Amino acid sequence: MRAISRRLPSGAVIPLITRSRLLPTYTRSHKLYRQLSSLHSANLSSSSTHTSNLVNNTSIVKPHFRKILIANRGEIACRIIRTARKLGVKTVAVFSEADKGCIHVQMADEAYCIGPAPSSESYLNIDKILAVAKATGAEAIHPGYGFLSESSVFAERIKDAGLVFIGPPTSAIKSMGSKRESKEIMTAAGVPCVPGYHGADQSPSALSKGAEQTGYPLLIKPTHGGGGKGMRIVRDPKSFEDELISAKREAIKSFSNDEVLLERWLEKPRHVEVQVFADTFGNTVALAERDCSVQRRHQKIIEEAPAPGLSPELKKDFAEKAVAAAKAVNYVGAGTVEFIMDAETGEYFFMEMNTRLQVEHPVTEMVTGVDLVEWQLSVAAGNPLPLTQEQIPCNGHAFEARIYAERPESNFLPDAGKLLHTKAPVNVPHRLETGFWEGDEISSYYDPMISKLIVHGPDRSSALSLLRSALGEYQVVGPSTNIEFLKSVAGHEVFASGPVETSFVPTYQTDLFPPRHTPTEVLAQAALYLTLRSERGHQVLGDGPWSKLVNRRFGDVVIKEYKIDDHLIKVKHTDKEYMVSIDSADWINISSSKIDEEGIELISEIENNHVKSTIIPVASTGHGQGKSGEEKLHIFASSSHYILTHQPTLLEDPSLSTSTSNGSNQDKLVSPMPATVIEVKVQSGDKVKENQVLVVLESMKMEISIRASKDGVVGEVNVEKGKVVQEGEVLVELAKQ
């Protein structure tokens, strides 16, 4: 692929990629792309019908834009491009150096690199984005969500440049962008707000007094931004000061504003929100409500529409209050009015208004048949809403599950790394929104969301069954993901029974993280795979990654021995059959076995049971965490993902030394993930107490505190502020006493 350069008026040279140059790659036979494109088109075909028919019956004020620029990345950029292409609108993508191979770059008609990986130097650089828009002749800019989507400065700069901001007026962004100001406006409009301190005085003394007046437990919340960034629940007054400092620090990094407010914390709240839409002709509608109560770290992970368990009267009241909120700020475009509802009393309060398209907008599209991005483009071009409130349907039920690169078992720490293997569901009707190919890198610079899995059924029970099935088929290998955790949530009886509170995850922590037992047949297949790989490598598996560690052995009877997790497994192979023994137990007969033509699926018959699985081997690459030759075997079988550790023995490979692992040491504090050091609180020779914070890291705009594992004296300090560290890298060593 050859990059073209275009010199912008500012004098900067920005590499340009045109779709014509990318056509061979764009049209490649890629299963994931074919699946997501066809499914997206099928699922939005009904929305196209709804919108187009009604637009034809309405006086169109202006035609669609000829070309728009998308000031975002990943799945939302791809989502916007698909609708724009359907409407005949040309698209311009922007990308950082870290994203040059991503799908949105390849899908757009034109794509420009606007800077290095850090978002402050690329996706948040207004000057570069406007320079690209001017050079390409774009008429409007769609901000997506995140980054500059709720920046009134960005919206104003776009307007000053003679372009159209595909979003609300600057005044509405300013009013709703400040949670303090928005609450004042909502109170005046008759929309109930959460009790607490919303004052402009941000001095420590004023906030401390506000905390006393609000009472505990309370929630510290940044007045700008969203996504759970900078939010802290405080139950003990003694920890208020530390939590306040941490919340402000995270807010300034995420939103360039450290102003916070304090709210009364409801112990059993539900998160109910309403999608609203308004045009420039004074029309405002509500498009059903969503329930987003399943959260971790104050961020949504499963959303559904409509919200379960609400009476028709309450649904109507939510919609009316949401419309009143939008009209109070003369809103235009897509927005979401978020409410917090006491699950016990039914009392609800206004939380905030998001002045952009939401991550979870697909569930609303599925139940209403409306393409919200198409509405955005139409309204921004000057057209009226195509439907009245009475014409908007709500059919069936929809769920969305967010697939994140993260480690749920480690308090949902975000993860990063290359997508080594992906396979979307094939037997379940679904909609998949993603911005990554297999082989792409999930970067620690951005949000760790890999994709969104959306299903729709005639009712909640049917939709939930589809969600479970789709999650069971979805395969991802590379960075750790939350897929297994999402399966636990979707399969939990309390979640299945109806509405849950935002405390659902911590309340049912034990149920959602059950101890995992690896079935005998999975262990047997792991050992069988290793045997087949060794004995038939080049003949059966070709020259790809499945031909590693080839070690052909001959004889009438061959017995191989493997160490997998804590199990010693033997495989006996004759010319006619394979036999497996696990931890010296009786031999298990495997009467037939094969690896399919793609070298991915292993099919065998174990004790008369037909077993089929996908096995992906990944060599350990952690810093000082794995023994020589160690690998992870990712096994997908029976809708479950098992990760087993294969440690080669001397019998398998005599070239391996008997050196011991350099694994974790309680005196060495290591980084749990790729991250940037933002604060080092100690130096060599300092005495520290157990649980004392020694180093503060940041990854994907989230702070992680590294604490002392015991009382001791600091030995080596291997990092400094600003250093980028990798997973497993030693940060601080505690000297032995």
Side-chain angles (χ1 to χ4, degrees):
M1 183 188 307
R2 181 171 67 86
I4 305 172
S5 292
R6 176 174 293 173
R7 186 170 295 278
L8 300 176
S10 62
V13 175
I14 297 182
L16 160 70
I17 296 178
T18 65
R19 185 177 168 194
S20 61
R21 290 283 175 185
L22 279 162
L23 194 56
T25 303
Y26 176 76
T27 57
R28 64 187 171 184
S29 178
H30 193 290
K31 291 186 293 184
L32 175 60
Y33 178 74
R34 293 201 308 271
Q35 291 165 358
L36 70 90
S37 294
S38 61
L39 287 166
H40 184 276
S41 299
N43 281 308
L44 282 185
S45 61
S46 61
S47 72
S48 177
T49 302
H50 274 302
T51 303
S52 299
N53 288 345
L54 282 146
V55 166
N56 289 336
N57 295 327
T58 307
S59 298
I60 297 180
V61 178
K62 293 182 180 179
H64 282 296
F65 302 110
R66 293 187 299 274
K67 181 186 287 188
I68 65 171
L69 181 146
I70 301 165
N72 218 295
R73 65 185 293 277
E75 57 88 16
I76 183 55
C78 296
R79 164 72 185 88
I80 296 165
I81 291 170
R82 280 191 287 269
T83 287
R85 181 180 298 154
K86 180 180 70 175
L87 301 175
V89 177
K90 298 293 184 181
T91 54
V92 179
V94 294
F95 62 96
S96 71
E97 293 173 359
D99 283 345
K100 61 183 178 181
C102 286
I103 300 179
H104 78 283
V105 176
Q106 303 186 40
M107 287 182 66
D109 296 288
E110 302 172 59
Y112 291 79
C113 180
I114 55 172
S119 56
S120 60
E121 301 177 49
S122 51
Y123 295 108
L124 295 177
N125 192 312
I126 296 176
D127 290 334
K128 289 183 178 179
I129 293 171
L130 291 178
V132 172
K134 184 175 181 180
T136 58
E139 300 169 291
I141 295 180
H142 196 305
Y145 43 69
F147 294 129
L148 295 167
S149 63
E150 294 180 283
S151 168
S152 59
V153 174
F154 184 47
E156 193 67 32
R157 289 283 303 277
I158 291 173
K159 180 180 178 182
D160 292 343
L163 305 175
V164 176
F165 177 69
I166 302 176
T170 304
S171 58
I173 297 175
K174 288 180 178 179
S175 296
M176 295 294 98
S178 169
K179 294 180 176 64
R180 176 178 56 80
E181 183 180 348
S182 67
K183 291 179 185 296
E184 294 173 354
I185 294 173
M186 292 303 106
T187 299
V191 181
C193 295
V194 184
Y197 176 75
H198 314 139
D201 188 347
Q202 292 287 296
S203 65
S205 59
L207 288 168
S208 179
K209 184 177 179 180
E212 293 177 6
Q213 294 173 343
T214 302
Y216 293 88
L218 60 80
L219 179 68
I220 303 174
K221 181 190 293 186
T223 62
H224 292 70
K229 300 292 192 302
M231 292 174 60
R232 302 288 189 274
I233 299 174
V234 184
R235 299 183 182 279
D236 185 353
K238 295 178 182 178
S239 63
F240 176 76
E241 184 178 350
D242 287 342
E243 295 290 0
L244 177 64
I245 293 172
S246 179
K248 280 180 165 287
R249 181 166 54 200
E250 191 170 323
I252 196 73
K253 290 174 182 175
S254 298
F255 317 119
S256 299
N257 190 309
D258 69 351
E259 186 180 76
V260 299
L261 55 80
L262 310 176
E263 291 181 346
R264 190 179 85 195
W265 175 250
L266 302 181
E267 289 293 358
K268 292 187 176 181
R270 286 183 64 185
H271 183 124
V272 179
E273 61 187 34
V274 180
Q275 176 75 60
V276 294
F277 222 108
D279 60 24
T280 56
F281 299 88
N283 303 307
T284 306
V285 297
L287 293 95
E289 77 287 341
R290 302 185 287 250
D291 190 297
C292 309
S293 298
V294 180
Q295 304 177 6
R296 89 285 183 268
R297 296 203 317 266
H298 308 296
Q299 289 184 313
K300 309 161 188 174
I301 47 177
I302 292 183
E303 303 100 342
E304 59 182 302
L310 300 185
S311 66
E313 294 76 19
L314 191 52
K315 286 173 178 283
K316 185 173 182 291
D317 199 34
F318 269 121
E320 290 175 350
K321 291 294 192 300
V323 168
K327 288 186 173 182
V329 291
N330 299 314
Y331 199 79
V332 174
T336 299
V337 182
E338 301 193 349
F339 298 94
I340 188 169
M341 175 182 175
D342 191 312
E344 293 183 333
T345 65
E347 186 180 19
Y348 68 89
F349 306 99
F350 169 85
M351 276 201 304
E352 60 188 2
M353 182 176 187
N354 290 296
T355 55
R356 53 173 167 80
L357 198 65
Q358 290 279 87
V359 175
E360 59 272 20
H361 75 273
V363 293
T364 296
E365 293 184 324
M366 301 302 277
V367 298
T368 62
V370 168
D371 183 335
L372 293 174
V373 174
E374 183 174 344
W375 277 30
Q376 283 188 299
L377 298 180
S378 179
V379 167
N383 297 313
L385 292 177
L387 299 178
T388 65
Q389 186 68 69
E390 292 72 23
Q391 293 173 315
I392 297 173
C394 183
N395 298 317
H397 204 93
F399 283 97
E400 174 182 284
R402 302 189 190 186
I403 312 300
Y404 280 103
E406 65 182 13
R407 302 176 183 180
E409 71 283 357
S410 298
N411 197 28
F412 299 96
L413 282 177
D415 204 1
K418 181 178 289 187
L419 293 172
L420 302 174
H421 166 78
T422 60
K423 184 178 180 182
V426 294
N427 298 311
V428 181
H430 69 285
R431 172 175 162 186
L432 182 66
E433 302 277 13
T434 184
F436 301 100
W437 299 115
E438 180 178 293
D440 285 348
E441 192 85 14
I442 303 299
S443 172
S444 62
Y445 287 102
Y446 312 116
D447 187 90
M449 188 167 66
I450 298 172
S451 60
K452 303 183 306 191
L453 186 62
I454 305 105
V455 297
H456 178 256
D459 51 52
R460 189 175 190 270
S461 178
S462 301
L464 186 55
S465 294
L466 291 173
L467 178 64
R468 293 168 181 161
S469 297
L471 286 170
E473 289 190 29
Y474 201 1
Q475 299 177 6
V476 177
V477 174
S480 299
T481 75
N482 65 336
I483 294 177
E484 291 301 308
F485 172 74
L486 291 171
K487 292 177 187 176
S488 295
V489 173
H492 199 281
E493 60 181 10
V494 172
F495 182 69
S497 67
V500 297
E501 299 92 43
T502 57
S503 60
F504 172 77
V505 172
T507 299
Y508 298 99
Q509 179 91 4
T510 302
D511 296 344
L512 299 176
F513 292 94
R516 298 204 71 195
H517 169 70
T518 305
T520 298
E521 58 267 24
V522 172
L523 291 171
Q525 279 211 320
L528 175 61
Y529 159 74
L530 294 172
T531 301
L532 292 174
R533 183 176 70 177
S534 174
E535 295 182 348
R536 308 181 190 178
H538 287 295
Q539 292 183 3
V540 177
L541 306 179
D543 296 323
W546 293 77
S547 61
K548 297 176 182 177
L549 301 180
V550 176
N551 184 22
R552 187 178 177 86
R553 299 177 65 177
F554 299 91
D556 294 332
V557 178
V558 176
I559 296 181
K560 288 182 174 286
E561 187 176 282
Y562 303 101
K563 185 178 180 183
I564 301 176
D565 283 356
D566 295 325
H567 302 282
L568 185 63
I569 305 178
K570 295 180 181 179
V571 178
K572 180 164 56 177
H573 177 206
T574 68
D575 291 338
K576 296 181 179 180
E577 64 182 359
Y578 291 89
M579 303 286 287
V580 176
S581 174
I582 302 174
D583 296 329
S584 300
D586 293 339
W587 290 97
I588 300 172
N589 180 58
I590 304 179
S591 58
S592 63
S593 61
K594 73 184 181 98
I595 294 179
D596 75 358
E597 63 277 5
E598 292 187 359
I600 294 176
E601 290 184 342
L602 177 62
I603 304 171
S604 58
E605 195 168 298
I606 302 175
E607 296 288 86
N608 298 319
N609 291 322
H610 185 80
V611 180
K612 181 178 180 180
S613 65
T614 299
I615 303 180
I616 308 295
V618 179
S620 293
T621 57
H623 292 255
Q625 292 186 337
K627 296 180 182 180
S628 176
E630 183 179 285
E631 66 180 338
K632 299 290 186 183
L633 297 179
H634 293 259
I635 304 179
F636 297 91
S638 302
S639 300
S640 294
H641 180 190
Y642 302 93
I643 305 176
L644 309 182
T645 300
H646 167 227
Q647 177 62 54
T649 63
L650 287 175
L651 184 61
E652 283 184 73
D653 188 351
S655 67
L656 295 175
S657 69
T658 57
S659 60
T660 58
S661 169
N662 294 322
S664 61
N665 185 317
Q666 64 177 352
D667 297 327
K668 294 182 179 180
L669 303 178
V670 302
S671 175
M673 60 198 294
T676 300
V677 178
I678 62 172
E679 188 174 6
V680 179
K681 290 179 168 286
V682 293
Q683 57 186 357
S684 182
D686 287 354
K687 292 184 178 181
V688 297
K689 295 290 186 181
E690 182 180 354
N691 209 39
Q692 180 178 334
V693 177
L694 308 186
V695 179
V696 181
L697 306 176
E698 180 188 39
S699 181
M700 301 174 182
K701 297 182 180 179
M702 189 184 79
E703 288 191 9
I704 304 100
S705 296
I706 306 301
R707 302 174 183 271
S709 56
K710 63 179 183 179
D711 294 352
V713 177
V714 176
E716 295 291 329
V717 177
N718 302 314
V719 294
E720 59 185 13
K721 184 177 180 179
K723 181 179 179 181
V724 177
V725 296
Q726 300 302 313
E727 177 188 349
E729 188 169 337
V730 178
L731 308 174
V732 176
E733 297 183 34
L734 296 182
K736 295 182 179 180
Q737 299 294 303

